[in-house]
Amino acid sequence: KLGESPVWINGELVFIDVVAKEICTLRDGTVRRAQLPKMPGSIVPSSKGGFLAALSVDADGSGGHLRRVVLRYDDTGTLEADTSKEFFCNVLDAQVHRPLADKPGKRQCLNDGKCDARGRVWVGSKVLSRPDMDARYVQAGPDTPTGSENDESNASSAHFSPSEDAPPAGALFCVEPAFSFRNGSMVKVGVAGAVAEVGGVWTSNGIAWSPVGDTMYYADSPRRRVEAYDFDAESGLLRNGRVFARMPDDVGVPDGMCVDEGGGVWVCVWDAGK
């Protein structure tokens, strides 16, 4: 019904159906489906096995956390999704993302997500501003900048818009685990939490990196453009946000995105089939 977040792994295509609340696999021409407890926005493969899924929290599709999903086939070949193993991070929490506390009536859900070369999970939110706005569909918004396009001073974690009187409350988050030194080695001890790296977002989509990893591409769909940021792989910080490409008004909006080995940026255009 609404396919998103395709991942090739172990000779199998894994993706989600947002509307049906399913995680799906495709192998040898056969599609298998497993029910998820809440509406998904994206999945990323996990080094522990399975996937981290961005799932909604509330019945109306709002809210958002990351939870581990482990796929299994039973004796009959039926696909099952186990979400009981590990809760990873409550991203859309008012204590984590302050705009949720400042604007409690502005509902959000998690949308597209990707994992960078260092294992950080990047996941963005989508603003559901109207009471009747369904979390399954794209929210429209103004075509306004998220920051100065060539401002060399933008070297902090936050990249919020200085140009809007009432910027949207969505964001692109970077989620990292916490580590500690124990018995002479570094071990993971939990989740440090989510940091809003890009703010003033309407509908977060299309996260991708250049082949050498020094540029991150990103789309806030209703703005009808792809942005590029200088990316520091060691720290995960972004700087020098600028417009990489613009979409004409009559060809839909940028959605999913990937970069090929030659550095070409490929963008799926929502509502255009391109």
Side-chain angles (χ1 to χ4, degrees):
K1 295 179 180 179
L2 182 55
E4 289 276 2
S5 203
V7 179
W8 282 104
I9 186 167
N10 298 326
E12 192 169 58
L13 178 64
V14 184
F15 60 98
I16 56 174
D17 185 331
V18 178
V19 175
K21 301 179 185 177
E22 294 174 335
I23 186 167
C24 311
T25 65
L26 171 63
R27 182 190 289 269
D28 299 329
T30 300
V31 176
R32 292 180 172 85
R33 303 169 180 267
Q35 197 69 34
L36 292 170
K38 296 290 183 178
M39 186 177 295
S42 56
I43 54 173
V44 295
S46 170
S47 60
K48 288 187 174 181
F51 301 84
L52 291 181
L55 299 176
S56 62
V57 175
D58 302 320
D60 64 356
S62 63
H65 59 217
L66 293 177
R67 182 173 291 276
R68 190 174 306 283
V69 177
V70 178
L71 299 181
R72 298 187 179 89
Y73 294 97
D74 66 14
D75 294 339
T76 66
T78 301
L79 183 66
E80 298 177 343
D82 184 355
T83 60
S84 66
K85 295 300 181 184
E86 182 181 3
F87 173 76
F88 195 71
C89 182
N90 189 9
V91 180
L92 291 181
D93 182 277
Q95 294 183 352
V96 174
H97 186 38
R98 290 303 305 169
L100 290 172
D102 299 336
K103 302 177 181 180
K106 300 293 185 180
R107 300 176 305 128
Q108 298 182 43
C109 66
L110 291 180
N111 206 41
D112 212 354
K114 293 284 182 65
C115 189
D116 70 20
R118 297 284 180 170
R120 306 178 189 92
V121 177
W122 294 73
V123 62
S125 65
K126 176 167 61 176
V127 176
L128 309 170
S129 59
R130 299 198 310 264
D132 62 340
M133 174 59 69
D134 193 305
R136 295 172 292 181
Y137 302 109
V138 172
Q139 157 76 9
D143 183 13
T144 48
T146 55
S148 175
E149 294 175 7
N150 295 294
D151 185 356
E152 292 291 340
S153 66
N154 288 330
S156 65
S157 287
H159 195 80
F160 291 92
S161 170
S163 62
E164 292 178 331
D165 293 333
L172 172 64
F173 300 93
C174 179
V175 184
E176 295 189 79
F179 292 89
S180 178
F181 283 98
R182 295 184 179 178
N183 299 321
S185 62
M186 183 177 288
V187 296
K188 180 181 173 182
V189 295
V191 176
V195 176
E197 292 275 4
V198 179
V201 171
W202 289 97
T203 301
S204 185
N205 260 315
I207 309 158
W209 286 267
S210 61
V212 296
D214 59 355
T215 303
M216 190 183 83
Y217 301 98
Y218 174 66
D220 183 1
S221 293
R223 300 184 192 278
R224 299 181 182 276
R225 69 184 186 212
V226 175
E227 298 176 354
Y229 295 86
D230 294 340
F231 181 71
D232 185 333
E234 292 295 329
S235 66
L237 294 181
L238 307 176
R239 61 178 296 155
N240 190 26
R242 67 267 188 196
V243 175
F244 174 75
R246 295 186 183 274
M247 293 283 180
D249 291 343
D250 59 348
V251 297
V253 298
D255 198 325
M257 190 187 310
C258 66
V259 178
D260 63 32
E261 62 182 8
V265 180
W266 296 81
V267 181
C268 294
V269 184
W270 171 276
D271 205 29
K274 299 180 179 179

